[in-house]
Amino acid sequence: MKPKPSMRAIFSAILLTAALTAGATAAANAADREVNVYSYRQPFLIEPMFDAFTAETGIKVNAVYAKTGMLERLQNEGRNSPADLVFTVDIGRLSDIQNAGLTQPVESAAINRGIPAGMRDPHGHWFGLTARARIIVTSKARVRPGEIGSYEDLADAKWKGRVCTRSGKHPYNVALFASMMHSHGDAAAQEWLAGLKSNLARRPQGNDRAQARAIAEGVCDVGVINHYYLYQMATSDKQKAWFEAIDVVFPNQADRGTHMNISGMAMTRHAPNPDEALALMEFLAGDRAQEMYAEVNGEYPVNPRIGVSGYLESLGDFKRDTLDLARVAANRGAASKMADRVGYND
Ligand code: FE
């Protein structure tokens, strides 16, 4: 989606200001080092890590935040783009930027130590920074604990008319469907998806939290959401009731584990400050930044050796599906077509 004119104007104005400031600073002191970031992630989520990075290295981080249009922006700017790094959520969006030829490969032993192989591109074009679990939530009132334990169970006829999800074309669901294709093969995955479709209580709609709300309102008994929305609902006056109506299931604990997705980063193809960009990437893959980043949004560190505290700790340990996200990325197109074939959104 292209940004609205107003958004584009704001985006340009911020960029121009950043460029002017950077230029003036560079003229004042040639030794100043900086790195330019385009971010789909909100400032409160990553600014604390940027500040810590600057305090440690003296390298300034100039960040531009946007909700949409970053890929188009990078494409339009071409080799004149000031951006060194891009931050976004979902393996789908990271691989879209890679497939558009807008990234460059990064090779770093320090990054590879911090980020598990399955959560970075094998050729270094993107790296996960936080991990999110795609969980099942169930009605406290109408589903007994243990009644559902896996994604496969979502297709069981006992849930007919009782399941709610968002669109089958949303990247979160496309990635989950792609992981099912990997685990079961195309034909069995399609049969599963058709079964899930036939169990839906309503046409796929709304965001992840809308599925918890639908459970609270008695529309359905089972939903599929990303885990950090639990935290967001629990700490919201308006949404707390939705949170209180649901139980949490980490799917597939008896076999491959719960499907995981990432938020992550990539170095742009024409990064003007590649050394500084690499330094920031290595910092963010390190233990300290991993702890901080996961905590601000209730996400998990990609590095499984980093402990969690507070809300995440209260959710308990669970087994993660370690399927390579590069394979999920490669299956996305086919997964999206599979959703069309079963008429998932009809
Ligand atoms: Fe989300």
Side-chain angles (χ1 to χ4, degrees), residues 5-325:
S6 58
M7 170 68 89
R8 189 176 287 268
I10 294 165
F11 208 123
S12 303
I14 296 169
L15 265 187
L16 186 61
T17 311
L20 291 174
T21 312
T25 314
N29 182 353
D32 276 357
R33 299 175 71 197
E34 62 183 0
V35 52
N36 300 321
V37 163
Y38 283 5
S39 177
Y40 274 129
R41 303 231 76 186
Q42 297 171 66
F44 83 94
L45 290 176
I46 51 178
E47 266 172 6
M49 276 73 69
F50 292 165
D51 290 346
F53 170 72
T54 302
E56 189 174 297
T57 61
I59 300 172
K60 192 174 156 222
V61 181
N62 307 308
V64 174
Y65 298 94
K67 285 203 167 123
T68 56
M70 202 127 51
L71 196 147
E72 292 82 356
R73 172 124 208 146
L74 283 168
Q75 255 159 350
N76 294 338
E77 289 171 343
R79 60 179 62 250
N80 297 319
S81 176
D84 296 297
L85 293 175
V86 177
F87 290 81
T88 190
V89 298
D90 199 85
I91 178 58
R93 298 203 170 98
L94 286 163
S95 59
D96 280 347
I97 295 171
Q98 175 186 11
N99 294 339
L102 298 169
T103 56
Q104 66 171 292
V106 171
E107 179 70 58
S108 160
I111 296 180
N112 292 354
R113 265 197 307 278
I115 302 176
M119 291 193 162
R120 50 182 156 86
D121 175 54
H123 307 292
H125 282 272
W126 48 259
F127 299 86
L129 285 174
T130 62
R132 45 264 303 276
R134 195 123 183 93
I135 59 171
I136 292 174
V137 291
T138 60
S139 163
K140 271 198 164 95
R142 298 179 298 277
V143 179
R144 286 187 316 275
E147 252 191 286
I148 186 162
S150 69
Y151 302 112
E152 287 77 0
D153 289 345
L154 291 166
D156 190 311
K158 81 177 272 194
W159 302 111
K160 189 148 257 10
R162 299 173 70 188
V163 182
C164 280
T165 76
R166 78 191 305 165
S167 165
K169 304 291 266 185
H170 188 274
Y172 297 167
N173 279 341
V174 170
L176 172 62
F177 301 166
S179 80
M180 291 295 287
M181 294 175 96
H182 177 82
S183 299
H184 296 287
D186 295 5
Q190 180 166 327
E191 198 181 314
W192 167 79
L193 193 60
L196 166 54
K197 163 67 185 170
S198 71
N199 284 344
L200 294 180
R202 60 178 186 180
R203 214 175 144 258
Q205 59 196 268
N207 56 20
D208 276 2
R209 274 173 287 190
Q211 317 314 317
R213 176 184 187 166
I215 292 173
E217 292 174 347
V219 176
C220 40
D221 298 339
V222 176
V224 181
I225 72 172
N226 279 358
H227 84 276
Y228 51 83
Y229 291 117
L230 297 169
Y231 177 73
Q232 293 184 17
M233 291 188 289
T235 52
S236 153
D237 288 343
K238 226 183 89 192
Q239 298 167 3
K240 201 160 190 208
W242 310 346
F243 170 77
E244 284 167 351
I246 56 176
D247 280 326
V248 174
V249 178
F250 283 95
N252 297 75
Q253 294 305 286
D255 44 71
R256 66 187 178 276
T258 297
H259 170 67
M260 305 299 289
N261 206 318
I262 50 173
S263 81
M265 61 183 173
M267 192 184 292
T268 63
R269 180 166 175 196
H270 302 295
N273 307 293
D275 296 343
E276 289 77 8
L278 179 62
L280 179 54
M281 293 175 102
E282 289 179 340
F283 178 83
L284 291 172
D287 290 6
R288 183 164 157 235
Q290 279 282 300
E291 262 168 45
M292 288 174 75
Y293 198 178
E295 214 150 281
V296 262
N297 195 29
E299 293 183 63
Y300 292 99
V302 283
N303 183 341
R305 295 187 302 273
I306 305 287
V308 293
S309 58
Y311 179 70
L312 289 176
E313 191 178 20
S314 77
L315 287 176
D317 278 343
F318 67 100
K319 182 178 178 187
R320 302 176 177 197
D321 184 353
T322 56
L323 168 62
D324 269 2
L325 287 177

